[in-house]
Amino acid sequence: MSQTEPNTSILVIDDKPDNIKVIIDELKELGLHKHALTAPNGKIGLELAKKYVPKLILTDWEMPEMDGYALVEAVKADEALAHIPIIMVTAVMKKPEDLSESFKAGVHDFLSKPFNKLEFQARIKNVLRLSETEKNLRASYEKLSELDKAKSTFFANVSHDLKNPIAIILGLTDMLLVEHEDVLPLDTIDKLRAIQRFSKTLNNLSTEIRELIRLDEGLLQLNRTKCTLNEFIGEFITIFTPVAEAKDVSLELKTSLSESDWALIDTWHFEKVLYNLVSNALDFTKAGTTIEIACKKDQENLYIIILDEGPGIDPAKLEQMFNRFYSSDTLNNKREGLGIGLAIAKEIVILHGGSLTAENRKTQGAAFTISIPLDAEELPEEGEAVERWLSHSVITPQTTTETAETIPQGEEMKSVLIVDDNPDIRLLISELLRKEYRIYEARNGIEAIKKLEERNVDLIITDLSMPVMDGFEFIEQVQDTRYKDIPCLIVSSRADKDQLHKALDRGVEFVLPKPFDAKELRARVKILIERSDGGSSISTTFSHFDPEATRKEMIRQLESLVVKNIDNPMLGIQNLANEIAVSQRKLFKVLKDSLDITPLEFIKEIRFQYADQLIKLRKVGSLSDAAKAIGMTNVTNFKKQFERFVGKEPTLSE
């Protein structure tokens, strides 16, 4: 047998030479005998199979050393041989249960000795044809898998690469609005804000793509914590209420859960599930209606049900609701996006061991039901690195101003090293900071280390994805040198939760995702430099802060932000959270613990007290003017809210 033509052979295994001769003669009539291999038992047959990888194996059942059944098991256990079809040729009638076990083990067909010539040929042709089809399907699958991997890599790269131009667009737009808003025409300001709005939409789409890629690659890991469900949903509703109010839609929580009922969920990712479902409900719900979030449980599961009063879902499309890139044509396709929000939501719920389903209500509207299995096992709280980030980020003793009161000159200027391989990002950050700080630049970690050796640097701003030496390696090297006390701010499109853990574990003070907010970048730089001023390390600086003073300073910063945006109806919870660099949930707890009010109530309290002062000092000519002064257009709603927060009806004295 020539070894130069593997994969063209048929292996015949039988302990009786006469039986082998009969089979070879039949193969000759089919033209398949030229490369036939023969073996007297399963053991030798297995060695030949490993050496030549035949197209088909014909084997007897009962043989010495290794019988047919043991041979089948051995072949199917070998990854290189498992695809080979096997026909069992035997004169011994087997019990039905033996035949069943053989098929389960991997036998493709049976032939009884003595066999009929036509039946033999037909079965050989059929098995070889099926084997060839399977081979082609396997090749197609491998090709599709490669294409799918290439597609995922492409989309991941596109998603990553979009972050830089989006960051530049948003950064330059912010600069124009901050520095020239007083002199720009109103229509130009409107256009710049439209650029901001659409750039943020593009950024959200990019983030959705990245989430999808992480799900496909199995990189999305849950960090589940014990979460009191009523509190979690209640906080979410509070955060989402301004969005609903803007559309004149009520958000209501109806729960039969007790205050002690909890679930094990990753709150970071589960908020995305609720956000997608409630956003979807808002898109298809008319003004003046209600979206209800109901919570209940049975013996095995906890349930969160989002019920809206919209037009419902076409029954023919219910099964497609959670398919990727599916977008309903209901209401003229008014929902923006790629149609992957619901798909991501479902996959996150599945990762929690639960399910997400959709159905039409008996009255009107749709119902989306999240089912989460009850679990008696308690898991540890969120990772130490994230908690450290939250606690450190809260401590912001200095007010966040857009520009310094006085611009340092000469040697008094603090210096910032910007490390990024993208020259446009370096230029953008440099433009944002150059009036207040001396700027040095580097394209990668190697260049950055040289700059540190040559210059005195007060703050490092670095990207993560860079050639030659990336941000992680650069940070690790810095930590092993005399420059380890220089505060480090990461500005990167890779700043997701996993990267946050990794960066913080390496001593980074804060991670700012691209695209970043220009005001927040300036504030971060100012805070980090002032913390480390005088050469003290960050950890030492932290130890001297008074927690009570810190909370008061945080509240003062939040009040300042609301006053600055007193007439901006878009000011929301996320803006407040960004101001003190915490999550929305953390902000909720801070204000609850400090003032016993929610973030939404905090904003309204300041606004209506401000409106009250305007009315008292007669700085407005009508209640309509007072409403507009705090970003409201509905006078009736203004009166109602004013009475609630001020404790009296708004009246203009003569």
Side-chain angles (χ1 to χ4, degrees), residues 348 473 478 499 508:
I348 289 174
E473 189 178 353
V478 168
Q499 301 300 338
V508 172

Side-chain angles (χ1 to χ4, degrees), residues 77 288 385 525 550 576 587:
V525 170
T550 298
L576 296 186
L587 171 69

Side-chain angles (χ1 to χ4, degrees), residues 389 393 416-420 429 433 458-464 471 474-475 479 486-492 495 503-504 507-514 516-529 538 581:
W389 170 65
S393 299
V416 177
L417 173 61
I418 303 169
V419 190
D420 199 302
I429 297 176
L433 302 177
D458 297 291
L459 174 70
I460 297 168
I461 299 177
T462 182
D463 189 20
L464 292 177
F474 167 58
I475 293 164
Q479 291 299 308
I486 300 175
C488 183
L489 169 65
I490 282 180
V491 178
S492 174
L504 291 168
V508 172
E509 290 304 316
F510 196 79
V511 181
L512 195 64
K514 294 178 183 175
F516 51 82
D517 180 83
K519 293 180 183 178
E520 184 175 2
L521 176 71
R522 286 190 179 113
R524 283 289 146 211
V525 170
K526 182 176 175 60
I527 290 167
L528 291 175
I529 285 181
I538 296 299

Side-chain angles (χ1 to χ4, degrees), residues 351-480:
L351 281 177
H352 281 80
S355 64
L356 174 58
T357 58
E359 62 182 351
N360 285 313
R361 302 174 67 181
K362 292 181 180 178
T363 52
Q364 182 182 1
F368 289 79
T369 302
I370 303 168
S371 172
I372 312 169
L374 289 169
D375 194 338
E377 178 188 1
E378 291 193 29
L379 295 179
E381 294 299 318
E382 288 190 30
E384 239 175 72
V386 174
E387 286 303 312
R388 185 172 72 251
W389 170 65
L390 288 174
S391 60
H392 284 199
S393 299
V394 167
I395 302 169
T396 52
Q398 297 296 328
T399 180
T400 58
T401 56
E402 293 174 13
T403 57
E405 294 180 6
T406 59
I407 300 176
Q409 299 294 329
E411 292 303 315
E412 293 181 0
M413 291 184 76
K414 297 294 183 180
S415 57
V416 177
L417 173 61
I418 303 169
V419 190
D420 199 302
D421 62 317
N422 187 309
D424 294 322
I425 290 292
R426 296 199 305 272
L427 175 62
L428 171 61
I429 297 176
S430 175
E431 285 296 312
L432 289 171
L433 302 177
R434 64 183 174 82
K435 290 183 179 180
E436 301 173 66
Y437 307 100
R438 186 184 298 107
I439 303 299
Y440 304 122
E441 296 183 20
R443 293 174 297 179
N444 54 61
I446 295 290
E447 288 188 7
I449 290 174
K450 290 181 180 178
K451 290 287 183 182
L452 289 173
E453 293 171 349
E454 298 169 357
R455 309 286 185 181
N456 291 323
V457 173
D458 297 291
L459 174 70
I460 297 168
I461 299 177
T462 182
D463 189 20
L464 292 177
S465 298
M466 297 181 292
V468 186
M469 179 188 287
D470 68 15
F472 288 118
E473 189 178 353
F474 167 58
I475 293 164
E476 285 181 344
Q477 290 209 17
V478 168
Q479 291 299 308
D480 293 332

Side-chain angles (χ1 to χ4, degrees), residues 120-404:
F120 176 87
Q121 294 180 0
R123 288 180 184 266
I124 295 295
K125 288 179 181 178
N126 185 54
V127 169
L128 288 175
R129 184 172 61 253
L130 290 174
S131 177
E132 188 65 22
T133 301
E134 183 181 345
K135 177 184 176 182
N136 293 335
L137 287 173
R138 189 165 55 251
S140 298
Y141 174 78
E142 290 173 357
K143 186 175 181 179
L144 286 172
S145 295
E146 291 176 4
L147 289 173
D148 187 61
K149 185 177 180 180
K151 175 212 70 177
S152 295
T153 301
F154 171 75
F155 279 123
N157 290 337
V158 168
S159 176
H160 176 268
D161 292 343
L162 278 174
K163 297 292 185 181
N164 282 335
I166 292 172
I168 293 166
I169 293 169
L170 284 172
L172 294 175
T173 308
D174 283 345
M175 285 176 62
L176 289 172
L177 287 171
V178 169
E179 297 176 4
H180 307 292
E181 187 171 8
D182 293 340
V183 297
L184 289 172
L186 290 177
D187 63 333
T188 301
I189 292 174
D190 289 340
K191 289 172 184 175
L192 287 172
R193 286 177 176 160
I195 292 173
Q196 281 183 322
R197 190 165 59 253
F198 289 117
S199 296
K200 288 176 180 177
T201 298
L202 184 60
N203 181 56
N204 291 337
L205 297 180
S206 172
T207 301
E208 277 193 340
I209 291 172
R210 190 160 183 229
E211 286 289 311
L212 202 61
I213 298 300
R214 288 174 62 78
L215 279 166
D216 281 344
E217 295 179 350
L219 297 177
L220 198 154
Q221 300 296 321
L222 296 183
N223 182 25
R224 297 197 298 166
T225 59
K226 184 178 178 181
C227 173
T228 304
L229 212 55
N230 280 346
E231 180 184 2
F232 176 73
I233 303 295
E235 290 176 7
F236 175 82
I237 289 177
T238 301
I239 291 167
F240 221 86
T241 295
V243 181
E245 284 185 349
K247 297 192 174 186
D248 193 22
V249 174
S250 297
L251 277 180
E252 292 184 2
L253 171 62
K254 291 188 177 180
T255 178
S256 61
L257 301 179
S258 70
E259 294 304 313
S260 60
D261 283 326
W262 54 269
L264 292 175
I265 60 175
D266 183 323
T267 55
W268 179 287
H269 288 104
F270 216 81
E271 282 182 355
K272 296 177 185 177
V273 175
L274 293 177
Y275 176 86
N276 274 299
L277 295 179
V278 176
S279 295
N280 188 71
L282 280 172
D283 283 337
F284 298 114
T285 298
K286 295 180 180 179
T289 57
T290 299
I291 295 174
E292 179 185 317
I293 302 181
C295 299
K296 62 181 183 179
K297 71 175 182 178
D298 57 22
Q299 294 296 320
E300 297 180 351
N301 297 293
L302 287 164
Y303 300 95
I304 304 170
I305 308 166
I306 291 86
L307 305 114
D308 64 55
E309 298 177 11
I313 307 165
D314 183 343
K317 298 177 179 178
L318 274 172
E319 294 298 321
Q320 306 173 51
M321 285 297 297
F322 300 103
N323 291 348
R324 295 177 181 183
F325 309 109
Y326 170 79
S327 182
S328 172
D329 56 7
T330 306
L331 300 185
N332 299 318
N333 273 328
K334 67 179 287 187
R335 178 165 172 76
E336 295 180 355
L338 295 175
I340 58 179
L342 290 178
I344 291 174
K346 183 166 186 174
E347 293 187 46
I348 289 174
V349 173
I350 290 173
L351 281 177
H352 281 80
S355 64
L356 174 58
T357 58
E359 62 182 351
N360 285 313
R361 302 174 67 181
K362 292 181 180 178
T363 52
Q364 182 182 1
F368 289 79
T369 302
I370 303 168
S371 172
I372 312 169
L374 289 169
D375 194 338
E377 178 188 1
E378 291 193 29
L379 295 179
E381 294 299 318
E382 288 190 30
E384 239 175 72
V386 174
E387 286 303 312
R388 185 172 72 251
W389 170 65
L390 288 174
S391 60
H392 284 199
S393 299
V394 167
I395 302 169
T396 52
Q398 297 296 328
T399 180
T400 58
T401 56
E402 293 174 13
T403 57

